[in-house]
Amino acid sequence: MAFDPSKYTVAKAKPLPVVLLLDTSSSMDGGREQSKIEELDSAVREMLKDFAHEEQLETEIDVSVITFGREGVKLALPYTNASKVELVKLEAGGMTPMGGALRMAKDMIEDKEVTSRRAYRPLVILCSDGEPNDNWEQPMQDFISSGRSSKCDRMAMAIGSGADESVLKKFIAGTENPLFYAKDAASMHKFFKFVTMTVTTRTRSQTSNQVVKIEAPKELLESPKNVVTTQNYW
């Protein structure tokens, strides 16, 4: 029998994509005081460090960041392994083109070369402190109801008291996830700590169609619903 070295190669890790849609509009700027954008930047960076620490041999956590605000809609970070992320500091300014951000995210997810065919079901997280001022309705409907994007796990965080809850709740419609509320810096960090828990739990759940239920921090919720259901395969 001929020797076949391919039988001894280590299988490539299966990626778990995490896409962050971050509001960086002017309302996120706090002026002289500690701003929401600074708090968001800090919380996201802390989460990325946790991702890098938690990565396991069998699973990679691939993170992408799309911002909508000062520079319009921007791919601030294409899919990058969590242990290799170098994120440019988030800065606030401009309008809130959420619809454009949703279109970009959908295009990324529908492209099987960008969001790999072999990847786990992506987690898409929308964070905003206001309301969109572009044509967001159709991009939102397209994202949640058609194609590969409709199969993604979706989470949303309302930052402060001015966020448009109806828009954010529409984004998570059809999922088991509640809308999270972050009224201060501590709440933002707690939300992203919870995101880390859900992601790392999924990386350890290798069984097809396995459902994982995790209790969410009650202080970030409006209602008693406090269980998030996630699933690896799509």
Side-chain angles (χ1 to χ4, degrees), residues 87-189:
L87 182 63
V88 175
K89 184 176 178 61
L90 300 177
E91 296 183 350
M95 307 296 277
T96 313
M98 185 185 294
L102 289 166
R103 284 194 296 270
M104 179 182 285
K106 183 172 180 62
D107 287 346
M108 283 177 49
I109 292 166
E110 299 302 331
D111 189 327
K112 295 179 181 179
E113 297 300 319
V114 177
T115 303
S116 173
R117 294 177 175 86
R118 57 185 293 276
Y120 287 117
R121 187 165 65 112
L123 169 62
V124 185
I125 304 166
L126 175 61
C127 303
S128 179
D129 79 326
E131 59 182 300
N133 46 34
D134 63 351
N135 295 321
W136 61 271
E137 291 91 344
Q138 191 59 52
M140 176 79 78
Q141 184 62 30
D142 291 342
F143 192 95
I144 65 177
S145 64
S146 66
R148 300 175 89 208
S149 63
S150 66
K151 301 175 183 178
C152 294
D153 193 17
R154 303 186 301 277
M155 299 176 70
M157 176 176 66
I159 303 173
S161 58
D164 191 325
E165 295 181 19
S166 63
V167 173
L168 295 173
K169 287 180 178 178
K170 183 171 183 178
F171 180 71
I172 57 175
T175 74
E176 295 290 332
N177 298 330
L179 176 61
F180 292 85
Y181 295 83
K183 298 180 180 179
D184 51 33
S187 298
M188 282 195 209
H189 282 270

Side-chain angles (χ1 to χ4, degrees), residues 5-232:
S6 66
K7 294 179 180 179
Y8 300 89
T9 58
V10 177
K12 188 176 180 181
K14 193 177 183 72
L16 195 165
V18 178
V19 181
L20 305 179
L21 306 180
L22 305 181
D23 184 347
T24 58
S25 61
S26 58
S27 59
M28 291 286 287
D29 188 352
R32 295 181 180 180
E33 300 178 357
Q34 177 79 2
S35 67
K36 288 179 280 187
I37 196 68
E38 291 173 328
E39 295 164 356
L40 180 61
D41 184 88
S42 174
V44 168
R45 290 178 189 278
E46 183 178 331
M47 180 188 70
L48 293 175
K49 288 180 181 179
D50 290 341
F51 280 179
H53 178 73
E54 291 290 339
E55 276 190 329
Q56 298 189 2
L57 178 63
E58 297 85 0
T59 308
E60 293 179 356
I61 303 172
D62 288 347
V63 182
S64 181
V65 178
I66 296 173
T67 59
F68 52 102
R70 183 173 187 170
E71 299 179 80
V73 177
K74 179 181 179 181
L75 182 60
L77 180 73
Y79 280 128
T80 305
N81 185 260
S83 61
K84 299 177 182 178
V85 167
E86 294 183 5
L87 182 63
V88 175
K89 184 176 178 61
L90 300 177
E91 296 183 350
M95 307 296 277
T96 313
M98 185 185 294
L102 289 166
R103 284 194 296 270
M104 179 182 285
K106 183 172 180 62
D107 287 346
M108 283 177 49
I109 292 166
E110 299 302 331
D111 189 327
K112 295 179 181 179
E113 297 300 319
V114 177
T115 303
S116 173
R117 294 177 175 86
R118 57 185 293 276
Y120 287 117
R121 187 165 65 112
L123 169 62
V124 185
I125 304 166
L126 175 61
C127 303
S128 179
D129 79 326
E131 59 182 300
N133 46 34
D134 63 351
N135 295 321
W136 61 271
E137 291 91 344
Q138 191 59 52
M140 176 79 78
Q141 184 62 30
D142 291 342
F143 192 95
I144 65 177
S145 64
S146 66
R148 300 175 89 208
S149 63
S150 66
K151 301 175 183 178
C152 294
D153 193 17
R154 303 186 301 277
M155 299 176 70
M157 176 176 66
I159 303 173
S161 58
D164 191 325
E165 295 181 19
S166 63
V167 173
L168 295 173
K169 287 180 178 178
K170 183 171 183 178
F171 180 71
I172 57 175
T175 74
E176 295 290 332
N177 298 330
L179 176 61
F180 292 85
Y181 295 83
K183 298 180 180 179
D184 51 33
S187 298
M188 282 195 209
H189 282 270
K190 188 164 290 187
F191 170 73
F192 283 109
K193 282 290 186 184
F194 177 70
V195 170
T196 299
M197 184 186 304
T198 65
V199 169
T200 55
T201 298
R202 288 175 65 184
T203 65
R204 298 165 187 165
S205 303
Q206 304 299 325
T207 305
S208 179
N209 297 323
Q210 181 174 356
V211 175
V212 181
K213 293 187 177 182
I214 306 171
E215 185 174 358
K218 295 179 181 179
E219 60 270 32
L220 300 182
L221 303 176
E222 180 184 44
S223 67
K225 184 177 181 180
N226 58 8
V227 172
V228 171
T229 304
T230 61
Q231 198 171 25
N232 269 341

